[in-house]
């Protein structure tokens, strides 16, 4: 009995054979797209850093460029390389730390509004930094303040976890409850910081940088203490990316794939504490940077890239670095353009970042409200 030849399934060419598409073309295209978006974030951060080196009241942009090229006079070179450069580098590292911390907290708490300043971590780190400065001595050095700030951030994160865990019951984590408890913990720790300043009113002026966040007076000693923390936080967060992706779904899914939820979530929170403590110990409480950077990174990466924490973490680090550097440039411009008598106003970068972050926060809340109403209708 004659058998009929079967035609191949799927699309075919006119000659009858199956279509042979080049393997990996889609993968190459996705990699190129991601690389271009990372290049965009990196270029923006580098441009903000260069602007930070050129903007200032003592040395103009032309002289600053000459100092960077090594052709300026020694005084100008000392001002640019000895003062502006560590300031810019500290701002970049602190912004990267806060971007990483915000990304990690938003993943493990499954809350897009989570950030160090509303989880008790940032307020605890500020309390530690202020306490270290008040005590002085070895604790008041940049490295000593870093250690005390890390301890304070651990205290804030630990209190949050303890109170939220007791309220929700063992093995559970309600993102809404965590957010509410985090705000309460932040308020208590912030009030404790204010009480500490009230007890030492003569130090209130020097403590403003911890409460608001500023890059004024940051030098090479602060950079030496901060860069190992920033590098460690970014690397560990990237390695933790697959765990963050699972924790970002829900606890049942995480347990279903064999993940120890409580242990890994605690490790992620400790990583956020490390990153936040390092940033706060160097520049103080830069409000909303940890909130702004992850959302900016998601907007640049797109939905596909934003879904992968291994891409989102370094992107948020770049976004945070660029945000802090840009905020400091704006602060420096306002300082130069708004003199009071013979002395300019020292506008802190944290104030500029707080205004920008508040605008973004309002936009996020409005967008989520419209989405919720639209879904309900």
């Amino acid at each position: 009995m004659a058998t009929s030849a079967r035609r191949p399934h799927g699309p075919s060419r006119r000659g009858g054979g199956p279509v042979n598409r080049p393997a990996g073309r889609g993968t190459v295209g996705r990699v190129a797209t991601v690389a271009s978006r990372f290049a965009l974030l990196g270029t923006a951060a580098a441009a903000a850093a260069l602007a930070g080196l050129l903007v200032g009241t003592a040395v103009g942009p032309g002289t600053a460029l000459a100092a960077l090229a090594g052709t300026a006079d020694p005084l100008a070179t000392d001002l640019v390389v000895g003062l502006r450069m560590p300031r810019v580098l500290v701002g970049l590292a602190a912004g990267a730390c806060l971007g990483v911390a915000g990304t990690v907290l938003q993943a493990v708490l499954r809350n897009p509004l989570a950030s160090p300043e509303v989880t008790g971590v940032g307020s605890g780190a500020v309390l530690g930094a202020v306490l270290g400065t008040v005590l002085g001595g070895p604790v008041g050095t940049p490295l000593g303040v870093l250690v005390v700030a890390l301890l304070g951030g651990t205290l804030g994160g630990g209190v949050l976890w303890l109170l939220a865990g007791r309220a929700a019951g063992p093995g559970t984590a309600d993102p809404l409850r965590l957010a509410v408890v985090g705000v309460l913990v932040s308020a208590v720790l912030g009030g404790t910081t204010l009480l500490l300043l009230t007890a030492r009113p003569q130090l209130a002026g020097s403590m403003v940088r911890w409460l608001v966040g500023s890059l004024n007076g940051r030098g090479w000693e602060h950079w030496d203490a901060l860069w190992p923390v920033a590098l460690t936080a970014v690397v560990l967060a990237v390695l933790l990316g697959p765990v963050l992706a699972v924790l970002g779904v829900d606890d049942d899914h995480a347990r279903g794939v064999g993940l120890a939820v409580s242990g890994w979530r605690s490790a992620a929170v400790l990583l956020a504490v490390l990153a936040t403590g390092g940033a706060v110990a160097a520049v103080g409480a830069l409000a909303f940077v940890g909130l702004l950077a992850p959302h900016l990174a998601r907007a640049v990466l797109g939905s596909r890239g934003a879904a992968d924490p291994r891409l989102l973490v370094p992107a948020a680090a770049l976004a945070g670095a660029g945000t802090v550097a840009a905020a400091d440039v704006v602060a420096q411009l306002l300082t130069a353009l708004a003199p009071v008598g013979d002395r300019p106003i020292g506008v802190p970068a944290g104030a500029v970042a707080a205004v920008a972050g508040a605008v973004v926060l309002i936009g996020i809340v409005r967008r989520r409200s419209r989405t919720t109403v639209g879904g309900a209708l």
Side-chain angles (χ1 to χ4, degrees):
M1 181 173 60
T3 59
S4 58
R6 295 183 178 179
R7 299 181 61 184
H9 294 287
S12 61
R13 295 178 300 181
R14 182 169 298 179
V19 176
N20 294 322
R21 294 187 176 91
R25 177 180 295 177
T27 302
V28 172
R30 287 194 295 270
V31 171
T33 300
V34 170
S36 65
R37 293 176 179 180
F38 268 95
L40 176 62
L41 287 171
T43 301
L50 179 60
L53 292 173
L54 301 181
V55 172
T57 56
V59 178
T63 306
L65 283 174
L68 292 175
T71 58
D73 60 86
L75 178 59
T77 302
D78 287 341
L79 288 173
V80 174
V81 178
L83 297 179
R84 290 187 186 178
M85 187 171 292
R87 174 193 182 111
V88 169
L89 290 175
V90 167
L92 292 173
C97 285
L98 292 174
V100 168
T103 304
V104 171
L105 289 173
Q106 288 175 15
V108 299
L109 302 183
R110 298 195 296 275
N111 189 336
L113 301 182
S115 60
E117 58 270 8
V118 296
T119 55
V121 175
S123 299
V126 170
L127 175 59
V130 171
L131 180 61
T133 305
V134 169
L135 293 176
V139 183
T141 64
L143 182 58
V145 171
L146 173 61
V147 173
V148 181
L150 291 177
L151 294 176
T154 304
L155 171 65
V159 171
L160 165 67
W161 209 247
L162 178 64
L163 294 179
R166 286 182 178 274
T172 61
D174 184 357
L176 178 60
R177 181 178 287 107
L178 284 169
V180 173
V181 174
V183 171
L184 294 176
V185 171
S186 297
V188 171
L189 294 175
T192 305
T193 301
L194 294 178
L195 287 175
L196 186 62
L197 294 180
T198 302
R200 299 288 297 275
Q202 66 274 20
L203 297 176
S206 62
M207 295 298 147
V208 170
R209 71 173 182 268
W210 301 121
L211 301 178
V212 180
S214 175
L215 298 180
N216 293 331
R218 303 302 88 184
W220 288 112
E221 65 274 16
H222 300 91
W223 166 250
D224 292 338
L226 178 58
W227 75 260
V229 177
L231 180 61
T232 301
V234 172
V235 171
L236 290 180
V238 171
L239 295 177
L240 204 63
V243 175
L244 296 177
V246 176
L247 290 176
V249 180
D250 58 53
D251 289 356
D252 292 336
H253 172 72
R255 294 188 185 95
V257 298
L259 190 70
V261 175
S262 298
W264 280 109
R265 184 178 282 117
S266 298
V269 171
L270 285 176
L271 175 58
V273 167
L274 173 68
T276 303
V280 169
V283 300
L286 291 172
F288 292 124
V289 174
L291 170 68
L292 177 61
H295 288 285
L296 179 60
R298 292 186 184 97
V300 173
L301 288 180
S303 58
R304 184 177 299 226
D308 188 352
R310 291 171 297 183
L311 298 177
L312 182 60
V313 165
L318 286 174
T323 298
V324 173
D328 189 50
V329 169
V330 174
Q332 290 296 301
L333 290 174
L334 292 176
T335 298
L337 296 176
V340 175
D342 295 331
R343 299 182 62 185
I345 300 175
V347 179
V352 177
V355 172
V359 172
V360 173
L361 177 61
I362 293 172
I364 294 171
V365 172
R366 292 188 62 182
R367 185 173 66 248
R368 288 177 62 85
S369 299
R370 287 196 299 266
T371 303
T372 302
V373 172
L377 295 176

